[in-house]
């Protein structure tokens, strides 16, 4: 189920972009750490921080999707399809 109209799909778009920029900077930092032969445990701590940050972005997107796209689909005629899609996403996120 994809949106094709000009409705804002991401109501918290700027917050998500800010988080993703921070994550991008952290990834560049890890690249430098590896290039500079930093201690493996320090690099692993940074990787863990990035994974946590990405999980927060995923949860924020999932929350927005549920409150907006899924809720609207349930109010309309596409509720079952939206719920199935949501559950598929949940299965992917929890692998």
């Amino acid at each position: 189920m994809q949106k094709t109209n000009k409705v804002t799909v991401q109501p918290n778009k700027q917050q998500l972009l800010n988080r993703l920029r921070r994550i991008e900077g952290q990834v560049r930092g890890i690249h430098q750490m590896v290039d500079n032969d930093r201690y493996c445990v320090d690099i692993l701590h940074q990787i863990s921080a990035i994974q946590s940050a990405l999980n927060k972005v995923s949860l924020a997107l999932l929350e927005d999707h549920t409150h907006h796209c899924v809720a609207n689909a349930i109010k309309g005629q596409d509720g079952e399809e939206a719920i199935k899609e949501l559950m598929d996403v949940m299965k992917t996120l929890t692998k």
Side-chain angles (χ1 to χ4, degrees), residues 32-78:
Q32 290 175 346
M33 292 174 79
V34 170
D35 192 40
N36 294 330
D37 295 320
R38 293 281 302 271
Y39 186 54
C40 296
V41 173
D42 292 341
I43 297 169
L44 290 168
H45 283 294
Q46 290 303 311
I47 290 171
S48 177
I50 290 170
Q51 288 171 329
S52 177
L54 281 172
N55 286 339
K56 288 179 183 178
V57 169
S58 295
L59 287 174
L61 281 167
L62 186 62
E63 184 175 3
D64 287 346
H65 178 67
T66 303
H67 284 290
H68 300 284
C69 300
V70 175
N72 288 336
I74 289 171
K75 291 175 189 173
Q77 300 297 319
D78 297 326

Side-chain angles (χ1 to χ4, degrees), residues 2 6 10 12-13 19 24 27 30-31 36-37 43-44 47 65 82 87-88 94:
Q2 294 181 343
K6 287 288 189 179
Q10 302 304 328
N12 299 310
K13 184 177 183 175
R19 283 184 179 191
E24 186 178 10
V27 171
I30 288 176
H31 185 273
N36 294 330
D37 295 320
I43 297 169
L44 290 168
I47 290 171
H65 178 67
M87 294 311 300
D88 289 343
T94 58

